[in-house]
Amino acid sequence: MRRVVITGLGMVSPLANGVKPTWEKLLNAESGINAIESFDVSDIPAKIAGQVPLGEGAGLFNFDDYVTPKERRRMDDFIVYGLAAAIEAVEDAGVQSDDEETLCRTGVMIGSGIGGLPEISKGAVTVETNSVRRLSPFFIPASLINLVSGHVSIKYGFKGPNHAVVTACATGAHAIGDAARIIALDDADVMVAGGAEAACCRLGMAGFAQAKALSTSYNDDPTAGSRPWDEGRDGFVMGEGAGVVVLEEYERAKARGAKIYGEVIGYGMSGDAYHITAPASDGNGGFRAMQASIKRAGINPEDIDYINAHGTSTPLGDEIEHGAVKRMLGAHYKNPTMSSTKSAIGHLLGAAGAVEAIFSLLSIRDNVVPPTLNLNNPSEGCDMDLAPLQAKERKVNIALSNSFGFGGTNASLVFKSVD
Amino acid sequence: MSDVAERVKKIVVEHLGVEEAKVTENASFIDDLGADSLDTVELVMAFEEEFGCEIPDDAAEKILTVKDAIDFIEANG
């Protein structure tokens, strides 16, 4: 199989628009979580979220920078975030082309966990309370998950494989792993892959709140709401944004002198076959995904330096994942540093795995591990090095990133530095 | 220019994101103003909203130019 490396990064996050400002704030232990003010949450018990900071200026997201008002009506927010992250990644990698053959060997695989929920909820109200004839003809293409991939391919003329993963909160990781395989199997030379999400609306907040998945105890202290492995955690904090990477066949990247962030050396998948929302109590699904990824990578557990955990800050999930990681590492469980960047940005659902893959790659580049915010009192048994409160400088050669989703779907990615 | 014509042209400029000068009476939405089939559906919806009329699908299919829209609305508005 062909080797696959990452040559471009792009991100829209609750900390900032763009990879560089997000990474700086993340290492600086800043939080992107705030009280929700953009819509009514008076009747929803969870009132905080990691929302993309809007406005004009450095680090702020301005829709007008990416789409015209006419285009805007064709895209729900998740599509614009995905497009913006893809533009940053493609320009970072420099894989734009006019050559037909090159374009046919360049594909797109950007998924979403939920898709255009704000547009869907508005459309449903229009049809039920107004009239079918008032429903926008753009309702369907504005909401469809694979339209991120569609718009990116149209913008750049990428005519290779065009696909979109939908595996809830594992979407971004599955997209990057599957895209790597498409290149490894010689079905494309370049893939633009990741996840985008913007389900932070009344319907999305209400839905996750009714599933009892969200944090509700920190409405008056939003930045304390996401606290993976901490005793005081009480659910995840909704996030939104997008993460997109450019994957490229190694020899091609080397030949053109591309900047290489790291190699995708491992990818593992599994299913829990247990419950629609809860992880199996023995963490067997996550354990097997990690096992599969390190087997594919051809490494030993002690080779791992950094683990970007799924770590959503839910009472059940964090400890189960911690247990599964310890089981995977065996006697070496004190070796790596593990952190959850959801502590700073919340849970970006379908974008989470891609954003966290980018953080893992930046850890390799900069030899620093981002912190787990709010981890003041680790739960009993959570005795790994969890990078509490502050970023930690350490050599990172190999990083593993976990993503688990509703339905019992699990993905682990392993990245390695390239000399 | 009639009031109807002015309002029609304003809607076309806003929805299709085109320069006002290009929105002549004989301009075709698809051939001259870059609209696609979804845009034309949205335009008809905007005309209905602005003029408080209903434009049935069979009539909407015949509204291909700015003038077609003005004529229909003046006759039925």
Side-chain angles (χ1 to χ4, degrees):
Chain A
M1 293 218 294
R2 309 196 303 168
R3 293 173 67 185
V4 182
V5 293
I6 308 282
T7 56
L9 308 178
M11 183 185 296
V12 177
S13 89
L15 279 170
N17 177 26
V19 171
K20 190 168 181 282
T22 296
W23 183 236
E24 285 169 1
K25 290 182 177 199
L26 189 68
L27 294 182
N28 202 28
E30 292 178 41
S31 171
I33 294 164
N34 290 292
I36 295 170
E37 291 174 351
S38 56
F39 55 91
D40 180 22
V41 286
S42 59
D43 52 353
I44 299 172
K47 303 178 194 299
I48 60 174
Q51 294 181 282
V52 172
L54 303 179
E56 289 180 44
L60 299 177
F61 191 89
N62 183 359
F63 284 93
D64 295 338
D65 291 345
Y66 299 97
V67 288
T68 64
K70 181 184 163 187
E71 291 168 325
R72 184 84 180 87
R73 290 199 298 276
R74 299 168 173 238
M75 305 180 193
D76 206 349
D77 291 357
F78 82 103
I79 297 180
V80 188
Y81 293 157
L83 181 62
I87 290 170
E88 186 184 9
V90 166
E91 290 182 359
D92 184 34
V95 290
Q96 308 94 319
S97 177
D98 297 324
D99 176 60
E100 183 69 10
E101 200 178 329
T102 303
L103 292 169
C104 288
R105 296 283 298 172
T106 303
V108 190
M109 195 156 181
I110 301 169
S112 180
I114 298 186
L117 202 59
E119 194 72 25
I120 290 169
S121 57
K122 272 189 289 180
V125 170
T126 299
V127 168
E128 293 305 317
T129 66
N130 194 333
S131 137
V132 169
R133 292 184 61 86
R134 302 310 314 160
L135 185 66
S136 165
F138 302 119
F139 167 66
I140 295 294
S143 315
L144 285 183
I145 282 174
N146 71 299
L147 264 281
V148 185
S149 293
H151 279 290
V152 171
S153 73
I154 292 164
K155 178 173 179 62
Y156 289 107
F158 295 151
K159 296 178 180 169
N162 199 275
H163 202 325
V165 173
V166 182
T167 50
C169 308
T171 296
H174 275 131
I176 292 172
D178 288 353
R181 294 212 166 153
I182 284 173
I183 296 172
L185 292 169
D186 203 9
D187 291 325
D189 295 325
V190 177
M191 290 293 292
V192 181
E197 202 76 77
C200 192
C201 59
R202 267 179 69 73
L203 189 57
M205 288 298 292
F208 281 107
Q210 284 297 88
K212 308 299 174 199
L214 296 176
S215 170
T216 55
S217 304
Y218 298 91
N219 290 331
D220 298 328
D221 189 9
T223 61
S226 187
R227 40 197 320 116
W229 302 296
D230 187 82
E231 278 190 342
R233 70 187 186 278
D234 72 330
F236 81 79
V237 174
M238 181 79 107
E240 62 173 6
V244 174
V245 302
V246 171
L247 300 100
E248 190 169 352
E249 191 271 320
Y250 173 61
E251 296 297 340
R252 180 189 194 274
K254 202 170 69 170
R256 71 182 185 92
K259 166 181 58 196
I260 295 176
Y261 291 96
E263 179 173 357
V264 185
I265 59 168
Y267 173 41
M269 294 168 275
S270 74
D272 278 0
Y274 177 71
H275 186 265
I276 51 172
T277 59
S281 56
D282 62 357
N284 190 39
F287 172 77
R288 286 182 291 108
M290 286 186 275
Q291 284 284 82
S293 72
I294 63 171
K295 179 185 168 195
R296 173 64 61 193
I299 61 168
N300 297 313
E302 60 267 33
D303 298 328
I304 300 166
D305 301 298
Y306 173 54
I307 297 168
N308 187 298
H310 186 58
T312 56
S313 189
T314 57
L316 272 181
D318 291 4
E319 277 178 59
I320 290 173
E321 182 183 16
H322 188 281
V325 171
K326 272 179 85 168
R327 186 175 156 205
M328 183 268 293
L329 292 170
H332 309 285
Y333 77 95
K334 291 280 189 186
N335 279 11
T337 303
M338 177 160 78
S339 68
S340 170
T341 44
K342 290 187 179 80
S343 61
I345 59 173
H347 191 352
L348 272 60
L349 310 180
V355 163
E356 290 159 18
I358 292 172
F359 294 151
S360 301
L361 289 155
L362 293 173
S363 286
I364 289 172
R365 184 191 70 182
D366 294 346
N367 289 306
V368 62
V369 167
T372 303
L373 302 188
N374 302 309
L375 181 51
N376 300 315
N377 301 299
S379 283
E380 198 181 337
C382 294
D383 56 351
M384 287 181 61
D385 172 10
L386 299 171
L389 311 179
Q390 297 294 327
K392 180 177 175 176
E393 288 186 21
R394 66 165 288 163
K395 176 74 187 162
V396 181
N397 184 41
I398 292 179
L400 180 149
S401 182
N402 278 338
S403 295
F404 311 140
F406 278 3
T409 175
N410 311 294
S412 300
L413 291 165
V414 185
F415 300 103
K416 185 174 185 288
S417 64
V418 174
D419 299 330
Chain B
M1 191 162 58
S2 73
D3 172 54
V4 167
E6 205 162 306
R7 285 155 72 194
V8 164
K9 287 181 181 179
K10 187 162 176 281
I11 288 170
V12 172
V13 167
E14 276 170 16
H15 281 262
L16 300 183
V18 290
E19 286 168 35
E20 208 176 327
K22 285 190 177 170
V23 187
T24 60
E25 296 215 348
N26 290 322
S28 154
F29 299 127
I30 289 177
D31 295 336
D32 301 319
L33 302 176
D36 61 23
S37 59
L38 298 178
D39 288 320
T40 60
V41 175
E42 199 192 36
L43 268 183
V44 166
M45 285 170 63
F47 295 147
E48 288 181 330
E49 182 116 311
E50 172 74 16
F51 297 101
C53 61
E54 186 166 323
I55 305 175
D57 287 349
D58 56 346
E61 282 169 20
K62 295 184 188 118
I63 299 178
L64 304 174
T65 66
V66 176
K67 188 171 187 303
D68 292 339
I70 295 167
D71 289 350
F72 180 91
I73 292 157
E74 285 186 334
N76 299 277

